[in-house]
Amino acid sequence: DTEVTQTPKHLVMGMTNKKSLKCEQHMGHRAMYWYKQKAKKPPELMFVYSYEKLSINESVPSRFSPECPNSSLLNLHLHALQPEDSALYLCASSTGGFDTQYFGPGTRLTVL
Amino acid sequence: QQQVKQSPQSLIVQKGGIPIINCAYENTAFDYFPWYQQFPGKGPALLIAIRPDVSEKKEGRFTISFNKSAKQFSLHIMDSQPGDSATYFCAASIENNQGGKLIFGQGTELSVKP
């Protein structure tokens, strides 16, 4: 099973709201990723967790706060977002290192 | 040096044609080259991947050709079908012990006409 699940599928939030995106994988992968993707652009890496520890933060604004409660779960907490943060947020996982990353279906986020 | 350059930006072929998408890189530290297929509103799905010790890899109708000396690789889709219409991203990965970091090309929007 190479499935990464993400909830919710769609999210609309105001600039003062606090919300969270969730990602789950049961493939025993030890690396998990958050990406942001704008229309007609490639995914942009935001964060990497390796063995439940944050290993890469691509200079993402603090209004995005990642959390890895355990090896199967990854959250992205959102607060005080801007309309330009509207995008498809993708979660991915891999066994680690430079091998295959498996992507979830994404959460379509709209910030009003 | 971290970039992966992908061309063309868009491509239209007739059913049965062989679209070819090209990618080039500069960083010789890249050691893993996957291709992803993405349909509108969906996450990217791994299509096929290659490592630089192999010059060609074929999986079904999809073939990667890899030229290490030229630092180029390409995707060929044999007998293309309308269902292949999607955006294709090449990528390259740098090995590290912090989780792989994929560097994506800009994408190619492929349309296969019936």
Side-chain angles (χ1 to χ4, degrees):
Chain A
D1 182 13
T2 56
E3 187 178 30
V4 176
T5 59
Q6 291 187 243
T7 56
K9 289 185 179 180
H10 302 276
L11 179 62
V12 179
M13 60 186 291
M15 289 190 285
T16 58
N17 292 159
K18 286 185 180 182
K19 296 287 185 183
S20 296
L21 310 184
K22 297 185 184 302
C23 173
E24 190 167 2
Q25 58 88 13
H26 294 290
M27 296 178 278
H29 289 172
R30 307 309 302 209
M32 297 185 75
Y33 311 77
W34 280 116
Y35 288 85
K36 173 183 177 180
Q37 187 178 29
K38 291 281 208 178
K40 297 188 182 296
K41 295 291 185 183
E44 297 174 42
L45 183 65
M46 301 174 72
F47 303 104
V48 181
Y49 272 82
S50 179
Y51 291 87
E52 301 169 41
K53 294 190 186 306
L54 184 64
S55 60
I56 297 177
N57 177 340
E58 293 288 279
S59 302
V60 178
S62 60
R63 58 186 184 269
F64 295 91
S65 175
E67 178 196 18
C68 188
N70 60 55
S71 60
S72 300
L73 293 174
L74 187 65
N75 298 322
L76 186 62
H77 303 296
L78 314 172
H79 174 56
L81 294 192
Q82 304 298 309
E84 59 265 29
D85 296 322
S86 298
L88 182 68
Y89 286 84
L90 295 162
C91 174
S93 71
S94 72
T95 56
F98 61 103
D99 65 341
T100 302
Q101 291 186 24
Y102 295 94
F103 284 83
T107 293
R108 174 69 61 189
L109 175 67
T110 303
V111 182
L112 301 176
Chain B
Q1 200 180 23
Q2 292 282 68
Q3 283 185 321
V4 176
K5 295 182 180 179
Q6 183 172 345
S7 64
Q9 191 174 348
S10 62
L11 188 54
I12 301 173
V13 300
Q14 292 295 126
K15 178 183 173 183
I18 306 175
I20 300 172
I21 304 170
N22 300 298
C23 288
Y25 64 97
E26 288 295 326
N27 190 344
T28 55
F30 288 141
D31 202 19
Y32 177 66
F33 301 89
W35 285 88
Y36 284 87
Q37 178 190 56
Q38 187 175 27
F39 293 104
K42 304 294 184 184
L46 178 72
L47 200 57
I48 186 172
I50 198 167
R51 300 198 187 275
D53 54 345
V54 176
S55 62
E56 184 177 282
K57 184 175 181 180
K58 185 179 293 187
E59 287 186 6
R61 295 184 294 108
F62 301 93
T63 299
I64 300 178
S65 298
F66 189 87
N67 186 330
K68 187 174 181 178
S69 60
K71 291 183 282 188
Q72 295 175 348
F73 57 110
S74 60
L75 176 71
H76 301 231
I77 305 175
M78 309 301 289
D79 187 27
S80 59
Q81 302 296 312
D84 296 328
S85 299
T87 299
Y88 292 81
F89 293 99
C90 64
S93 186
I94 300 173
E95 180 181 9
N96 63 63
N97 58 6
Q98 299 174 321
K101 183 171 180 175
L102 280 175
I103 310 298
F104 284 93
Q106 288 302 301
T108 296
E109 196 169 354
L110 172 66
S111 178
V112 181
K113 300 298 186 185

